[in-house]
Amino acid sequence: MNELLAVRSLSTLPVVTLGGDAVAHVKDTVLDAGAGCITGFTLTGRTLLSGPLPRDLPWPAVYSLGHHAVMVRDRKALCDLPLSVARRDALRGRLLNAQVVTDEGDRLGTVLDVLVEGGASGRIVAFRFAAHRELVPGSRHRRHRVYVPRGETVSVSGRSLVVPAHATTYATDDLPDFVARVGAFHTRRTGALP
């Protein structure tokens, strides 16, 4: 698995060609929660003060996504802005700050961020959310921020994100621990050796 990246941290990343030219910056990440992946990025100009570009970067044109840049082959990867602006607002708005509920009807908390796999994948792997006290025991004065895997079935309806109830067994506030737990689960499920 490639490194995990928080969607909120992708804003302002430079878009760089393989030739080394910075051609834009990421403004927003467009997600398709149903398909479980990034579908593209809206962009700003080369300087952060230059405002939005009338261009879009669809995910298939991304060469690689990393912590410090979004890599593309060349400037031709940027395309005229299609309907993704309206779609971005709807999808991003529905994921961030959405109420998290299990498929058994238990409220878990509120989505703070989405974790995606870097490299050429762009797959949604997990959600980081502010958890209710029932999910994470401890001080009632401390806000608990936990990671929960996306799971095989996720649906977004209105202002709610529905995750499988069994996904809560992997909830933890420690990202390395979360990655290890999910890795162990996939190893057991597929029978692959670590």
Side-chain angles (χ1 to χ4, degrees):
M1 178 188 304
N2 290 313
E3 280 198 67
L4 299 181
L5 305 166
V7 166
R8 287 187 187 240
S9 71
L10 302 180
S11 293
T12 72
L13 280 183
V15 177
V16 181
T17 67
L18 293 179
D21 295 326
V23 294
H25 281 87
V26 172
K27 182 175 185 283
D28 285 311
T29 303
V30 183
L31 301 169
D32 184 340
C37 61
I38 295 174
T39 59
F41 301 99
T42 60
L43 306 171
T44 64
R46 287 182 53 209
T47 65
L48 297 178
L49 299 175
S50 59
L53 284 178
R55 298 248 184 235
D56 205 7
L57 178 59
W59 181 258
V62 172
Y63 182 79
S64 183
L65 172 63
H67 284 285
H68 303 291
V70 177
M71 301 301 295
V72 295
R73 291 194 186 280
D74 54 37
R75 290 179 184 269
K76 295 176 188 170
L78 309 183
C79 62
D80 290 333
L81 192 62
L83 297 174
S84 66
V85 172
R87 203 168 160 216
R88 176 208 66 219
D89 291 340
L91 293 172
R92 183 177 166 89
R94 288 192 332 201
L95 277 177
L96 299 181
N97 300 317
Q99 290 295 312
V100 181
V101 182
T102 69
D103 55 1
E104 294 176 353
D106 297 324
R107 278 185 14 158
L108 300 178
T110 306
V111 176
L112 298 172
D113 211 340
V114 179
L115 297 179
V116 296
E117 193 173 35
S121 170
R123 185 173 58 95
I124 296 174
V125 175
F127 302 98
R128 181 173 186 239
F129 64 90
H132 291 293
R133 285 192 308 259
E134 298 82 27
L135 181 62
V136 182
S139 168
R140 48 188 330 175
H141 300 291
R142 183 173 167 249
R143 277 188 80 183
H144 296 286
R145 289 172 167 80
V146 298
Y147 299 94
V148 171
R150 176 180 173 266
E152 298 303 317
T153 57
V154 169
S155 64
V156 178
S157 175
R159 300 288 303 151
S160 297
L161 170 70
V162 180
V163 297
H166 68 83
T168 61
T169 60
Y170 299 98
T172 180
D173 61 353
D174 181 52
L175 186 57
D177 181 43
F178 169 76
V179 172
R181 286 183 190 196
V182 172
F185 169 75
H186 286 298
T187 300
R188 279 195 309 267
R189 196 174 93 196
T190 61
L193 296 174

